[in-house]
Amino acid sequence: MDEFDLIRRFFRRPAVRSQTRFGVGDDAALLDPPPGQVLAATVDTMVAGVHFFPDADPAALGHKLLAVNLSDLAAMGAEPAWALLALALPEANPDWLSAFAEGLFALAGRYRVDLVGGDTIRGPLTLSLQALGWVPEGQALRRCGARPGDGIYVSGTLGDAALGLKMLRGELGWRDETAVERLLRPRPRVALGLALRGLAHACIDVSDGLAADLGHILTASGVGAVLEWESLPLSAAVRRYVAETGDWRLPLSGGDDYELCFTLPEAAARVLQQRLPAGAVAWHRIGTIQIEQGLSIKKGGKAIPLPPAGYCHFEYDDK
Amino acid sequence: MDEFDLIRRFFRRPAVRSQTRFGVGDDAALLDPPPGQVLAATVDTMVAGVHFFPDADPAALGHKLLAVNLSDLAAMGAEPAWALLALALPEANPDWLSAFAEGLFALAGRYRVDLVGGDTIRGPLTLSLQALGWVPEGQALRRCGARPGDGIYVSGTLGDAALGLKMLRGELGWRDETAVERLLRPRPRVALGLALRGLAHACIDVSDGLAADLGHILTASGVGAVLEWESLPLSAAVRRYVAETGDWRLPLSGGDDYELCFTLPEAAARVLQQRLPAGAVAWHRIGTIQIEQGLSIKKGGKAIPLPPAGYCHFEYDDK
């Protein structure tokens, strides 16, 4: 079986979008973004032994590889449309490829994403995906617009993926399947990103940890922020972990949550409430943007400075 | 140094295109293809030990990674505009990164390509790049339009890169710098691809070897072809190699040439001649599309069938 057979067998599916002129099978895909829209493009890579365990479930990997890219598009307020895949595989294992494709296409189908290009080669297991989408002229969510007085909000709950990783590593005496699932199959907040168009002053997805990612908003916007520990949305499992270990920084530093962190003026928060459909992901105010630079958190009446540390790929040796 | 420092230091440069709204530095790039154009998107990956020697010159790798993607866009008749880079590196070596970036940006500058996204992570040396460009509505060069009677053409010369690889491996008693350079720093045929818009019935770039890539045109178009050995454009080095070894198949099966192979009706060939500027790459007629399926070559008065074999990543162990 050569690479062309591989690509044909597992990754060539009929396009679901009318804007897909031509997908896999020529020198390049031909795509037709609607007029009046700006194209959003992002790429994310996952390496065995660095970003996932080498024996990880291939269906979960297919899901996550697409999810982390859709999360980037959601953080721009972009509607996802297309993906291109670059797969390096140690061997052409049909079972692995079939499960990987199943996980990827299940999520792609939910958001009407067409896989329009691919490159499958032999090499150390490395998964790279590039996603394209669009956002109406002038409505993209950037990192640089946060203003003093804005509320700081975050979707879902924080720290679950980092807790799930500790569980998979056997560092805890207990296990919570929801936390593990958050690590293995993150859910991109696409609907929330679309609802934030024209409302959020700044937005980012939480991939490297809340403190690090909010730090990018603060730097880009030239402002500071104060968070409130008691307002952080935490799952029962993370609450238990914090209570048992005293490690209250996990929800601030843990990566891989893929929630959205955004800033809104007061009035916009009320509009967002009305825009979001019933059953949409919850979102909570966790702090306030201020003029003074830096990031700190109020906890038990004290203000504690938070250095802008987060998940760092080149210093993170034992994942 | 963390990944953000890396990206900032080596890969953030001012945009040269007005259509680049925002490049590296947010969750996704924001791009603005001109109206009336169809977007062309492609991705190609190079793995150390599979596609290049692990100790290869990083500047040449940066050049080649972009060049092979621009070659894909050229084969669609698309004007290149943007690139997104996914780099997995065993270590954050500033010298390596600096040289790699220099090679990449030198070629990017020549074609006004903006690098608008990047992902730099730790892992086995794997270089993946995705390129975006555009082509006017209805003028993309596809593989599927070849018609019986079309002339088959190829740019430049064939087999040089494969010969260069033999030289680098020490398989020959002599060395030709031009052939080695063809392997290490292929030149994407961008101007030729643009000139072929609206003229070529079919087009592909020669990455896997002429027989394999022309085979894709034949399959997609439902036609066959006959080539003429005496018409193949060969460099002096390839002529010497064929004369010394008798291996006349090298120019047909050797990969990595990145020339364009295209089919034209008679009248279109004359128009192409007028369109191309002085100093453009040479192009030569090497055969004819015919109704009968299959690919053969006339050599010394005999017609020899050519099986559709070419460069195959999963069967190519010793590169």
Side-chain angles (χ1 to χ4, degrees):
Chain A
M1 187 161 58
D2 75 2
E3 66 163 323
F4 303 104
D5 293 327
L6 279 177
I7 291 168
R8 260 194 299 272
R9 276 184 55 187
F10 295 107
F11 297 113
R12 198 182 279 195
R13 310 244 175 138
V16 299
R17 289 200 175 263
S18 61
Q19 299 91 355
T20 305
R21 295 286 185 90
F22 191 79
V24 175
D26 211 307
D27 295 292
L30 293 176
L31 312 172
D32 204 11
Q37 311 278 328
V38 176
L39 197 71
T42 187
V43 63
D44 253 311
T45 304
M46 291 165 38
V47 175
V50 180
H51 301 90
F52 59 88
F53 296 104
D55 62 350
D57 170 19
L61 291 179
H63 172 100
K64 185 163 181 174
L65 181 64
L66 180 58
V68 301
N69 280 284
L70 297 191
S71 179
D72 278 326
L73 292 184
M76 298 301 283
E79 178 178 344
W82 299 295
L84 292 98
L85 177 66
L87 273 189
L89 305 170
E91 52 170 359
N93 177 335
D95 291 340
W96 193 97
L97 273 168
S98 166
F100 176 85
E102 192 187 335
L104 193 151
F105 280 109
L107 184 63
R110 200 175 312 155
Y111 293 107
R112 302 187 63 240
V113 169
D114 284 330
L115 182 70
V116 295
D119 185 28
T120 310
I121 51 155
R122 193 164 54 86
L125 188 55
T126 306
L127 321 171
S128 191
L129 188 137
Q130 181 259 339
L132 297 167
W134 56 71
V135 53
E137 185 68 49
Q139 293 194 33
L141 308 175
R142 299 288 311 276
R143 297 176 177 180
C144 53
R147 297 179 209 163
D150 281 0
I152 302 168
Y153 297 83
V154 73
S155 61
T157 56
L158 293 168
D160 296 280
L163 185 63
L165 180 59
K166 286 181 183 291
M167 290 166 173
L168 286 185
R169 280 177 173 162
E171 294 175 12
L172 305 176
W174 54 288
R175 186 169 162 129
D176 177 273
E177 287 314 318
T178 309
V180 171
E181 195 68 6
R182 283 288 305 272
L183 174 70
L184 300 181
R185 291 182 183 266
R187 298 173 69 169
R189 303 307 187 186
V190 176
L192 177 59
L194 297 180
L196 286 169
R197 284 175 175 177
L199 287 183
H201 282 166
C203 186
I204 195 169
D205 72 326
V206 182
S207 54
D208 295 335
L210 179 72
D213 290 314
L214 175 56
H216 292 311
I217 286 183
L218 302 181
T219 304
S221 303
V223 294
V226 56
L227 300 177
E228 286 163 31
W229 162 257
E230 284 73 19
S231 301
L232 295 181
L234 305 181
S235 66
V238 168
R239 286 187 191 283
R240 174 178 167 187
Y241 167 81
V242 172
E244 287 182 1
T245 63
D247 177 15
W248 59 271
R249 289 177 186 265
L250 177 95
L252 299 163
S253 62
D256 265 4
D257 280 329
Y258 299 101
E259 297 296 347
L260 294 187
C261 174
F262 49 98
T263 83
L264 292 176
E266 200 87 2
R270 286 190 294 274
V271 178
L272 179 60
Q273 203 109 48
Q274 290 154 9
R275 274 192 194 176
L276 276 173
V281 65
W283 48 287
H284 300 275
R285 180 164 178 166
I286 59 172
T288 305
I289 297 290
Q290 58 184 18
I291 294 175
E292 302 94 84
Q293 306 281 310
L295 174 60
S296 62
I297 188 161
K298 284 191 193 154
K299 183 170 188 296
K302 280 202 304 192
I304 304 164
L306 286 175
Y311 182 95
C312 176
H313 299 290
F314 279 96
E315 297 172 357
Y316 200 82
D317 253 317
D318 56 342
K319 186 173 182 177
Chain B
M1 188 162 58
D2 75 3
E3 67 164 322
F4 303 105
D5 293 328
L6 280 177
I7 292 167
R8 260 193 300 271
R9 276 184 54 187
F10 295 108
F11 297 114
R12 199 183 278 195
R13 311 245 175 139
V16 299
R17 288 199 176 263
S18 61
Q19 300 91 353
T20 305
R21 295 285 186 91
F22 191 79
V24 174
D26 211 306
D27 295 292
L30 293 176
L31 312 172
D32 204 10
Q37 309 279 326
V38 176
L39 196 72
T42 186
V43 63
D44 254 311
T45 304
M46 290 164 40
V47 176
V50 180
H51 301 90
F52 58 89
F53 296 105
D55 62 350
D57 170 17
L61 291 179
H63 172 99
K64 185 163 180 173
L65 181 64
L66 180 58
V68 300
N69 279 284
L70 297 190
S71 178
D72 278 325
L73 292 184
M76 299 299 283
E79 178 177 343
W82 299 296
L84 291 98
L85 178 66
L87 273 189
L89 306 170
E91 54 171 356
N93 178 336
D95 291 340
W96 193 97
L97 272 168
S98 167
F100 176 85
E102 191 188 335
L104 192 150
F105 280 109
L107 184 63
R110 200 174 313 155
Y111 293 107
R112 302 187 62 242
V113 170
D114 284 330
L115 182 70
V116 294
D119 185 28
T120 310
I121 51 157
R122 192 165 54 85
L125 189 55
T126 307
L127 321 171
S128 190
L129 189 138
Q130 181 259 335
L132 297 167
W134 57 70
V135 53
E137 184 70 49
Q139 292 193 32
L141 308 176
R142 298 289 312 278
R143 297 177 177 179
C144 52
R147 295 179 210 164
D150 280 1
I152 301 169
Y153 297 83
V154 73
S155 61
T157 56
L158 293 169
D160 297 280
L163 185 64
L165 179 61
K166 286 180 183 293
M167 289 166 173
L168 286 186
R169 281 177 173 162
E171 293 175 12
L172 304 176
W174 54 288
R175 186 170 161 128
D176 177 273
E177 288 314 318
T178 309
V180 171
E181 195 68 5
R182 282 289 305 272
L183 175 70
L184 299 182
R185 292 183 181 264
R187 299 175 69 168
R189 302 307 186 185
V190 176
L192 177 59
L194 297 180
L196 285 169
R197 285 175 175 177
L199 285 184
H201 283 167
C203 186
I204 194 168
D205 72 324
V206 182
S207 54
D208 296 335
L210 179 72
D213 291 313
L214 176 57
H216 292 311
I217 286 183
L218 302 182
T219 304
S221 304
V223 295
V226 57
L227 300 176
E228 285 163 31
W229 162 258
E230 284 72 19
S231 303
L232 295 180
L234 305 181
S235 66
V238 169
R239 288 187 190 281
R240 173 176 167 188
Y241 167 81
V242 172
E244 286 182 1
T245 64
D247 177 15
W248 59 272
R249 290 177 186 266
L250 178 95
L252 299 163
S253 63
D256 266 3
D257 279 328
Y258 298 101
E259 297 297 348
L260 294 187
C261 174
F262 49 99
T263 83
L264 292 176
E266 199 87 2
R270 286 190 295 273
V271 178
L272 179 61
Q273 203 108 47
Q274 291 154 8
R275 274 194 192 175
L276 276 174
V281 64
W283 47 288
H284 300 273
R285 180 164 178 165
I286 59 170
T288 305
I289 297 291
Q290 58 184 19
I291 294 176
E292 303 94 83
Q293 307 280 310
L295 175 60
S296 61
I297 188 161
K298 284 192 193 152
K299 183 172 188 295
K302 279 202 305 190
I304 304 164
L306 286 175
Y311 182 94
C312 175
H313 298 292
F314 279 94
E315 296 172 359
Y316 200 82
D317 254 317
D318 56 341
K319 187 174 184 176

